[in-house]
Amino acid sequence: DTTPFEADAADAGKLVDRLSVLATGAVLPTGTRNRIVTAVEAYTSANNANWQRERAKQAAYLVFATPAFQVQR
């Protein structure tokens, strides 16, 4: 359920940081973070009616796929 994270969807950087701290205990490295933020920002109200949910799902998927998370688990 992505509902708790959808409130942060308007600010992709904040959303990614929140998920990365939850998943790894720290903010992701700058390069990784920036790539994920760019991918998350692809979902907008202009191209997707459920953009907040899609942003939260995309951010979670990508954060949990990072090496930083894989090492932590």
Side-chain angles (χ1 to χ4, degrees):
D1 183 20
T2 61
T3 304
F5 301 99
E6 291 172 22
D8 292 332
D11 183 344
K14 182 178 178 182
L15 175 61
V16 170
D17 289 344
R18 182 176 172 199
L19 284 164
S20 68
V21 169
L22 177 70
T24 69
V27 176
L28 293 171
T30 303
T32 303
R33 178 191 181 275
N34 291 344
R35 285 184 192 95
I36 293 173
V37 168
T38 299
V40 169
E41 287 175 338
Y43 293 97
T44 67
S45 60
N47 64 19
N48 194 306
N50 297 316
W51 67 275
Q52 289 122 325
R53 180 177 307 129
E54 294 304 320
R55 278 189 174 195
K57 285 172 35 180
Q58 179 79 342
Y61 176 80
L62 293 173
V63 167
F64 293 128
T66 63
F69 175 71
Q70 296 301 317
V71 170
Q72 290 295 328
R73 43 175 226 154

